Amino acid sequence: MNESVGIVKTRSVDFDVELQLESGRVLGPLTLAYETYGTLNRSKSNAVLVAHAWTGDAHAAGRHGPDDRKPGWWDGMIGPGKVLDTDQYFVICSNVIGSCFGSTGPSSINPRTGKPYHLQFPVLMVRDMVRAQKLLIDHLGIEQLLTVIGGSMGAMQALEWAVHYPEHVRSIIPIAGTGRPSPMAIALNALARQAIYNDPMWRKGNYKPEHPPADGLALARAVGHISFLSDTSMQLKFGRRFSARDGQFDFFGQYEIERYLTYNGRNFVERFDTNSFLYLAKSLDLYDVSWGFDSLESALNNLACPSIWFAFSSDWLYAPYQTEEVVNVLRCLNKPVEYHLIESDYGHDSFLVEPEKFTPKVTSFLEKLSAES
Amino acid sequence: MNESVGIVKTRSVDFDVELQLESGRVLGPLTLAYETYGTLNRSKSNAVLVAHAWTGDAHAAGRHGPDDRKPGWWDGMIGPGKVLDTDQYFVICSNVIGSCFGSTGPSSINPRTGKPYHLQFPVLMVRDMVRAQKLLIDHLGIEQLLTVIGGSMGAMQALEWAVHYPEHVRSIIPIAGTGRPSPMAIALNALARQAIYNDPMWRKGNYKPEHPPADGLALARAVGHISFLSDTSMQLKFGRRFSARDGQFDFFGQYEIERYLTYNGRNFVERFDTNSFLYLAKSLDLYDVSWGFDSLESALNNLACPSIWFAFSSDWLYAPYQTEEVVNVLRCLNKPVEYHLIESDYGHDSFLVEPEKFTPKVTSFLEKLSAES
């Protein structure tokens, strides 16, 4: 289980298209950044698409160089002998459009003006991200994906694949997902947005990359962090410990949890673009699998493949009842569906923190699927 | 039940004292703003102290004038024939120190400098607020309060009264309280603080009253709002409705919940002082009934009076388990204690939104108490 895919490279492909978006606008030309691990088999039947979450990227496994400090974000899942076994599967991960890690996003050059899009970039739905991914899958010559797997926003992408490209997926594995975020989730994103809008450095999106609205983005990230954790995980990790460096009665004295949020917020500014953060937050809020359909039922009736769903007991961002809403409709529609509520204290982040709690079920799901081919 | 205490006036009393604070600092002289409703009986045995929450004030009932648009913040509870029956009880409510409605706080004049305290104001614990209230109760010639009742920060004050002045209270009624806030509650306050610190108008607390850090305070209030509501109450009130005035694909388009948070945040700036907001947030975070004691048990062992506790099922700020932690210790110590977990969808705010769900139990608790005198 400790084997790595080794040194990998993010590749990039340009599509000279005008992608028709849900908003009615078009986006193009498009660049997509992606990585692949393992080998596509002769029948092209072993391709697995890994879909990343809000602040993720195409670098899901391996290292970019021998001195690379950290491996890809889901390295524990992807590699020889791992759950997504690269001796067996051809694993693809691409950066979503709207993001800032090589795929077209608000900091890309708008071909119509020769300048960065900034707020001229169109508001995207998750469906649009998947539409762009379909271009990549076609480009790689893959007719049908063995599965699409992802957590959080990745789960949304998996579901969109199954609804809109039913002939092109043999299964989906949505983890810590939702059919549509709750008003609570929207409210938290609203705080994050406002934190950025309040920062004079944001300049309505026209900041220079070297002068980002650091205070605003760090605070926005702290909002996110809280929603990814849980009351219990904070109790376990921080409790009510006061920072050893501060006096309890100092006005600016901090509890450990506070210091952690500040520290991580600051680090985030180094690696993420503010406008991308805002655009993707918007895509999350707008996500609704039934968008454009008469009902949740009619959207989910499009599914032609088996799906396996995981929700986490302490996830209060996309709480289990939201996955269950989708799963129950799928069951009513007699779709082949498996659902597991995983007991975990780590909130929404459980899918990253405690993968061992659900991966055995992923393994057997994939084995059964492979046996059927 | 619809009778009002009528037109009332906030009074004010000055104490030429040096109040010794938990931090080791002193605060004085002190001004306390307060209101009273009903008449103190001859034996001075019918006094009820109402303790307000974070952003509350001394104006708990009645109106300040015939054209006053809104009555006091707990008018539904206080008046002739109401739960806190002013034909029967002498009800007192005072603004806590650290606040901005007439009692000494960070915007008061520091007698040592002749200028507003701003960040020279000492960090307070809830215990210090209660210490100041004791001065007022003494001033009113009351030896023993029939009860201290309050929600949220008011519940903390009630508990502090029972722990530190056991001979001066005959009962307490803490509602939606906690023995010590969780790291989640601290984390949310950390966001609120940072939102204010990020606002250049804050100027490290040295803003002019007419130029408050409005963006920061409005956002800080929005954080609070979210924590006072619940997932369910947001679903019921806002769902995923998009503002009718905005286009769904407008970058700045808002959901109803978002518009609500923005609107209420802005209104809050009109009525609350930013530094007071910060100081009281700090007092909430620091609250720990066992502060200065060896244990929770030894703190609660001080209680000499019956208490009745209410927690609300959907309260995720001071979740029911926190009240239960205190109640369980009181039970182990064989203290007379009554506990009710109230089913309500309105989160922490339930104590303000659905008082009818717990007030009958308050009424019978108080009747039993009065019968014993």
Side-chain angles (χ1 to χ4, degrees):
Chain A
M1 292 294 275
N2 291 315
E3 290 214 56
S4 167
V5 298
I7 306 296
V8 297
K9 229 182 103 172
T10 306
R11 276 172 292 176
S12 173
V13 54
D14 298 322
F15 298 97
D16 191 15
V17 292
E18 298 263 274
L19 194 73
Q20 188 71 40
L21 305 173
E22 288 299 318
S23 62
R25 292 180 62 184
V26 293
L27 183 65
L30 277 186
T31 300
L32 289 186
Y34 69 101
E35 295 192 3
T36 66
Y37 323 104
T39 312
L40 187 61
N41 63 13
R42 196 173 288 247
S43 60
K44 300 186 174 179
S45 63
N46 69 335
V48 167
L49 179 63
V50 168
H52 70 71
W54 193 354
T55 62
D57 56 26
H59 183 39
R63 289 170 199 264
H64 280 160
D67 302 327
D68 207 356
R69 206 168 48 85
K70 270 171 43 178
W73 60 269
W74 230 10
D75 192 74
M77 291 280 288
I78 304 164
K82 295 184 184 174
V83 185
L84 303 180
D85 185 351
T86 47
D87 289 337
Q88 205 178 338
Y89 306 120
F90 178 61
V91 180
I92 308 152
C93 183
S94 79
N95 188 218
V96 297
I97 54 171
S99 181
C100 53
F101 295 111
S103 294
T104 302
S107 54
S108 303
I109 297 298
N110 180 349
R112 280 155 203 82
T113 64
K115 292 180 198 157
Y117 280 103
H118 295 156
L119 299 200
Q120 301 304 314
F121 197 75
V123 167
L124 300 175
M125 291 196 80
V126 171
R127 196 166 296 175
D128 298 315
M129 301 173 191
V130 167
R131 219 165 251 155
Q133 281 165 357
K134 179 66 165 61
L135 296 174
L136 174 66
I137 299 307
D138 289 346
H139 167 78
L140 295 172
I142 297 160
E143 178 65 23
Q144 194 183 47
L145 292 161
L146 180 65
T147 200
V148 184
I149 182 173
S152 195
M153 193 176 82
M156 296 172 180
Q157 293 166 65
L159 183 53
E160 291 298 297
W161 266 97
V163 170
H164 295 281
Y165 301 106
E167 288 159 27
H168 301 284
V169 284
R170 283 197 54 208
S171 73
I172 57 166
I173 310 177
I175 306 166
T178 175
R180 49 187 169 212
S182 68
M184 173 66 89
I186 295 169
L188 291 162
N189 280 353
L191 296 181
R193 265 189 281 283
Q194 198 60 53
I196 292 167
Y197 298 168
N198 280 358
D199 190 330
M201 299 295 286
W202 184 57
R203 304 175 60 227
K204 289 228 167 178
N206 294 315
Y207 55 89
K208 292 223 159 47
E210 60 274 26
H211 299 297
D215 290 345
L217 183 59
L219 177 53
R221 179 58 169 179
V223 176
H225 252 299
I226 288 179
S227 69
F228 305 152
L229 301 173
S230 76
D231 192 24
T232 311
S233 68
M234 290 190 202
Q235 289 279 10
L236 293 171
K237 191 161 179 182
F238 307 103
R240 286 179 47 88
R241 279 195 309 282
F242 210 79
S243 165
R245 279 184 275 174
D246 299 340
Q248 186 130 6
F249 292 103
D250 294 352
F251 182 85
F252 290 103
Q254 291 188 316
Y255 281 88
E256 284 291 349
I257 174 67
E258 194 164 0
R259 186 172 290 282
Y260 168 86
L261 291 172
T262 308
Y263 177 81
N264 279 283
R266 288 288 149 190
N267 279 351
F268 185 67
V269 174
E270 304 295 312
R271 71 172 189 85
F272 212 85
D273 173 63
T274 306
N275 287 340
S276 277
F277 185 88
L278 289 168
Y279 272 94
L280 296 184
K282 196 84 186 168
S283 300
L284 291 168
D285 291 348
L286 289 176
Y287 183 64
D288 184 347
V289 62
S290 68
W291 168 260
F293 291 89
D294 289 339
S295 64
L296 187 56
E297 287 71 15
S298 67
L300 295 176
N301 203 27
N302 272 20
L303 256 79
C305 70
S307 57
I308 181 170
W309 297 74
F310 299 95
F312 299 93
S313 56
S314 58
D315 184 349
W316 63 283
L317 184 62
Y318 301 159
Y321 77 84
Q322 295 177 35
T323 291
E324 287 159 16
E325 189 189 20
V326 175
V327 166
N328 289 340
V329 171
L330 287 172
R331 282 185 180 146
C332 287
L333 293 167
N334 283 315
K335 305 287 182 185
V337 55
E338 210 178 301
Y339 167 60
H340 301 280
L341 175 60
I342 308 293
E343 286 294 322
S344 173
D345 288 334
Y346 292 94
H348 189 62
D349 265 352
S350 296
F351 80 95
L352 295 169
V353 181
E354 296 196 313
E356 67 280 7
K357 286 204 170 165
F358 65 90
T359 47
K361 293 184 176 75
V362 172
T363 303
S364 46
F365 179 80
L366 287 175
E367 274 167 4
K368 210 164 59 184
L369 207 65
S370 299
E372 283 165 12
S373 27
Chain B
M1 292 290 277
N2 291 316
E3 290 215 54
S4 165
V5 297
I7 306 296
V8 297
K9 228 182 103 171
T10 306
R11 275 172 291 175
S12 174
V13 54
D14 299 321
F15 298 97
D16 191 14
V17 292
E18 299 263 273
L19 194 72
Q20 188 71 43
L21 305 173
E22 288 299 318
S23 62
R25 292 181 62 183
V26 292
L27 183 65
L30 277 187
T31 300
L32 288 186
Y34 70 101
E35 295 192 3
T36 66
Y37 323 104
T39 313
L40 188 61
N41 63 13
R42 197 173 288 244
S43 60
K44 301 185 174 179
S45 63
N46 69 336
V48 167
L49 179 63
V50 168
H52 69 71
W54 192 354
T55 61
D57 56 27
H59 183 40
R63 290 171 197 262
H64 281 158
D67 302 326
D68 207 357
R69 205 168 49 86
K70 268 170 45 174
W73 60 270
W74 230 9
D75 192 73
M77 291 281 287
I78 304 164
K82 295 184 185 175
V83 185
L84 303 180
D85 184 352
T86 47
D87 289 337
Q88 206 178 335
Y89 305 119
F90 178 62
V91 180
I92 308 152
C93 183
S94 80
N95 188 220
V96 297
I97 53 170
S99 181
C100 53
F101 295 110
S103 294
T104 302
S107 54
S108 303
I109 298 298
N110 180 349
R112 281 156 201 82
T113 64
K115 291 180 199 157
Y117 281 103
H118 296 156
L119 299 201
Q120 300 304 313
F121 197 76
V123 167
L124 300 175
M125 290 196 79
V126 172
R127 197 167 295 176
D128 298 315
M129 301 171 190
V130 167
R131 219 165 250 151
Q133 281 166 357
K134 180 66 167 60
L135 295 174
L136 174 66
I137 299 306
D138 289 346
H139 167 78
L140 295 172
I142 296 160
E143 179 64 24
Q144 194 183 46
L145 292 161
L146 180 65
T147 200
V148 185
I149 182 172
S152 195
M153 193 176 82
M156 297 172 179
Q157 294 166 66
L159 183 53
E160 291 298 296
W161 265 97
V163 170
H164 296 280
Y165 302 106
E167 288 159 27
H168 301 284
V169 285
R170 283 197 55 208
S171 73
I172 57 166
I173 309 176
I175 306 166
T178 175
R180 50 188 168 208
S182 69
M184 173 65 90
I186 295 169
L188 291 163
N189 280 353
L191 296 181
R193 266 190 280 284
Q194 197 60 52
I196 293 167
Y197 298 168
N198 280 359
D199 191 329
M201 298 296 286
W202 184 56
R203 303 175 61 229
K204 289 228 166 181
N206 294 315
Y207 55 89
K208 293 224 160 43
E210 61 274 25
H211 299 296
D215 291 344
L217 183 59
L219 177 53
R221 179 58 169 180
V223 177
H225 252 299
I226 288 178
S227 70
F228 305 152
L229 300 173
S230 76
D231 191 25
T232 310
S233 68
M234 289 189 202
Q235 289 279 11
L236 293 172
K237 192 162 176 179
F238 306 103
R240 286 178 49 87
R241 278 194 310 282
F242 211 78
S243 164
R245 279 184 276 175
D246 299 339
Q248 185 130 5
F249 293 102
D250 293 352
F251 183 84
F252 291 102
Q254 291 189 315
Y255 281 88
E256 285 291 348
I257 174 68
E258 193 163 2
R259 186 171 290 282
Y260 168 86
L261 291 171
T262 308
Y263 177 81
N264 278 283
R266 289 286 148 190
N267 280 350
F268 185 66
V269 174
E270 304 295 313
R271 70 173 190 85
F272 212 85
D273 173 63
T274 306
N275 287 339
S276 277
F277 185 87
L278 289 168
Y279 273 93
L280 296 184
K282 197 84 186 166
S283 300
L284 291 168
D285 291 348
L286 289 176
Y287 183 64
D288 184 347
V289 62
S290 68
W291 168 260
F293 291 90
D294 289 340
S295 64
L296 187 56
E297 286 71 14
S298 67
L300 296 176
N301 203 28
N302 272 19
L303 256 79
C305 71
S307 57
I308 181 170
W309 297 74
F310 299 95
F312 299 93
S313 56
S314 58
D315 184 350
W316 63 282
L317 184 63
Y318 301 158
Y321 77 84
Q322 296 177 35
T323 290
E324 287 158 16
E325 188 188 22
V326 175
V327 165
N328 289 339
V329 171
L330 288 171
R331 281 185 180 148
C332 287
L333 294 167
N334 283 314
K335 304 288 183 186
V337 54
E338 210 178 301
Y339 167 59
H340 301 280
L341 175 59
I342 308 294
E343 287 295 324
S344 173
D345 288 334
Y346 293 94
H348 189 63
D349 265 352
S350 296
F351 80 95
L352 294 168
V353 182
E354 296 195 313
E356 66 281 8
K357 286 204 172 167
F358 65 91
T359 48
K361 293 184 177 73
V362 172
T363 303
S364 45
F365 178 80
L366 287 175
E367 274 167 5
K368 212 164 57 182
L369 205 68
S370 300
E372 282 165 12
S373 28

